[in-house]
């Protein structure tokens, strides 16, 4: 069957048909080119596939950035949870540093010439000459107060028999105070050299040809090293000043038979041992007030509960 011949087309239809024939190969080529570029597989999350040659650098960079961000976040959390501990540690460091600085500064000033000894005051002496004691300690002048040599001070004071003990007191900036406790004489013991004044420890304080005024004569069997002497020393030191001034002699042959002699009347005080000497001294004082020595020959206080006047 013979096809009917196409109707003659208009010029506009002919132009559109020609344009379609010309554009079709290009469109096909574009589709093919696009297919060739997009045929590579992509991951679902929008990144590059493992076999993408350009994906390696970008992936490592992302991992490194994520790791660094994670470390920063952890560091921030650690700082947030340890802020109180760090604050407490900083406070302690500041306090300790302040104490160290203050201590070092104080030590540096104390041991410097700014606090050197310029004046030595001697107090507590009644029989000793304070000026003589101060002169004996003259080598300490110019020494910082904190560095005063106690052994040198002791060596200088040993030359004074009347010094029983002493203490040193620093009075910044330049004064050194020496407090002296003098030995208390209990009497004088007669010997070939004369009369030697001794204290309760038997230390010789001075020696004179004649019996010194105001000191009782000691007649002790066994001398200063005996138990009788130690008992007599305790008795004399326990006496009130008013009674002590009236004692002219002390005798003892054992620690239990200490006897005192009072004044010109020669009245005796039978003391016995040194035990309870403070109580016996009070009883003796009362007995002497009731019966003065010029009216009594003997006072017996060996038993404080029952003092006897004869």
């Amino acid at each position: 069957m013979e096809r009917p011949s196409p109707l003659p087309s208009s010029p506009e239809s002919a132009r559109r048909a020609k344009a379609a024939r010309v554009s079709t190969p290009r469109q096909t080529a574009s589709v093919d080119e696009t297919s060739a570029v997009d045929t590579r597989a992509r991951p679902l999350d929008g990144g590059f596939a493992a076999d993408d040659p350009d994906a390696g650098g970008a992936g490592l960079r992302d991992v490194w950035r994520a790791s660094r961000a994670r470390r920063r976040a952890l560091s921030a959390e650690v700082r947030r949870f340890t802020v109180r501990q760090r604050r407490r540690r900083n406070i302690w460091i500041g306090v300790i540093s302040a104490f160290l600085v203050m201590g070092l500064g104080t030590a540096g000033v104390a041991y410097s010439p700014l606090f050197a000894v310029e004046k030595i005051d001697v107090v507590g002496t009644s029989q000793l000459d304070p000026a003589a004691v101060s002169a004996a300690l003259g080598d300490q002048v110019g020494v910082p107060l904190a560095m005063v040599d106690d052994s040198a001070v002791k060596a200088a004071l040993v030359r004074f028999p009347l010094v029983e003990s002493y203490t040193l007191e620093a009075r910044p900036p330049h004064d050194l105070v020496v407090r002296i406790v003098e030995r208390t004489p209990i009497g004088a013991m007669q010997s070939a050299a004369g009369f030697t004044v001794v204290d309760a420890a038997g230390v010789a304080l001075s020696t004179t040809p004649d019996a010194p005024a105001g000191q009782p004569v000691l007649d002790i069997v066994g001398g200063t090293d005996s138990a009788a002497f130690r008992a007599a020393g305790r008795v004399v030191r326990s006496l009130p000043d008013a009674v002590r001034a009236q004692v002219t002699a002390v005798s003892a042959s054992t620690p239990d038979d200490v006897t005192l002699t009072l004044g010109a009347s020669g009245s005796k005080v039978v003391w016995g041992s040194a035990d309870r000497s403070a109580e016996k001294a009070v009883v003796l004082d009362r007995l002497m007030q009731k019966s003065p020595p010029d009216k009594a020959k003997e006072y017996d206080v060996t038993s404080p509960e029952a003092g006897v006047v004869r």
Side-chain angles (χ1 to χ4, degrees):
M1 182 175 182
E2 183 179 353
R3 291 184 179 180
S5 60
L7 295 176
S9 61
S10 65
E12 181 65 22
S13 298
R15 185 182 61 81
R16 289 179 181 178
K18 182 178 180 181
R21 286 193 302 268
V22 172
S23 60
T24 297
R26 292 180 183 176
Q27 203 170 22
T28 303
S30 176
V31 171
D32 293 343
E33 183 179 352
T34 303
S35 299
V37 174
D38 295 337
T39 52
R40 293 176 296 177
R42 293 181 179 273
L44 296 177
D45 57 359
F48 291 94
D51 56 352
D52 188 353
D54 295 331
L60 291 177
R61 191 182 305 114
D62 292 341
V63 171
W64 179 78
R65 289 176 179 174
S67 177
R68 185 173 61 176
R70 184 164 55 253
R71 287 196 300 270
R72 289 179 179 176
L74 289 176
S75 298
E77 288 297 312
V78 170
R79 287 195 299 271
R80 185 168 67 88
F81 283 105
T82 60
V83 61
R84 185 175 300 176
Q85 180 180 358
R86 286 185 285 109
R87 186 183 297 115
R88 189 184 302 115
R89 181 182 59 191
N90 292 336
I91 292 174
W92 276 109
I93 291 175
V95 171
I96 294 174
S97 300
F99 273 105
L100 287 176
V101 171
M102 182 174 62
L104 292 175
T106 303
V109 173
Y111 286 91
S112 69
L114 295 174
F115 288 90
V117 177
E118 294 182 0
K119 181 182 178 182
I120 299 177
D121 294 326
V122 179
V123 298
T125 59
S126 59
Q127 305 174 70
L128 286 171
D129 182 9
V133 177
S134 180
L137 300 174
D139 58 347
Q140 299 302 313
V141 175
V143 177
L145 288 171
M147 299 181 65
V148 170
D149 190 353
D150 187 72
S151 60
V153 173
K154 182 177 181 180
L157 295 180
V158 163
R159 299 196 296 267
F160 299 89
L162 282 173
V163 177
E164 181 176 3
S165 62
Y166 68 92
T167 57
L168 301 178
E169 178 183 346
R171 290 183 179 177
H174 304 296
D175 292 350
L176 177 65
V177 179
V178 183
R179 298 188 180 276
I180 301 292
V181 176
E182 296 181 336
R183 294 185 183 277
T184 303
I186 63 170
M189 297 193 69
Q190 188 174 7
S191 64
F195 291 86
T196 301
V197 178
V198 296
D199 70 345
V203 177
L205 305 180
S206 64
T207 301
T208 57
D210 301 322
Q215 297 296 336
V217 177
L218 305 177
D219 182 13
I220 310 296
V221 176
T224 57
D225 295 330
S226 64
F229 178 83
R230 290 189 291 271
R234 291 174 57 191
V235 171
V236 173
R237 295 194 66 169
S238 68
L239 295 174
D241 292 339
V243 177
R244 169 72 174 77
Q246 301 181 53
V247 177
T248 57
V250 179
S251 63
S253 57
T254 67
D256 300 322
D257 66 348
V258 179
T259 302
L260 311 177
T261 301
L262 302 177
S265 64
S267 300
K268 302 292 183 181
V269 178
V270 180
W271 196 276
S273 69
D275 296 337
R276 303 175 66 183
S277 289
E279 299 177 39
K280 293 178 181 180
V282 173
V283 173
L284 176 61
D285 186 42
R286 292 175 181 173
L287 293 177
M288 292 177 64
Q289 291 179 9
K290 293 180 180 180
S291 300
D294 57 351
K295 295 181 180 181
K297 293 184 177 180
E298 185 178 275
Y299 303 93
D300 190 340
V301 293
T302 53
S303 295
E305 296 85 355
V308 179
V309 179
R310 298 184 179 91

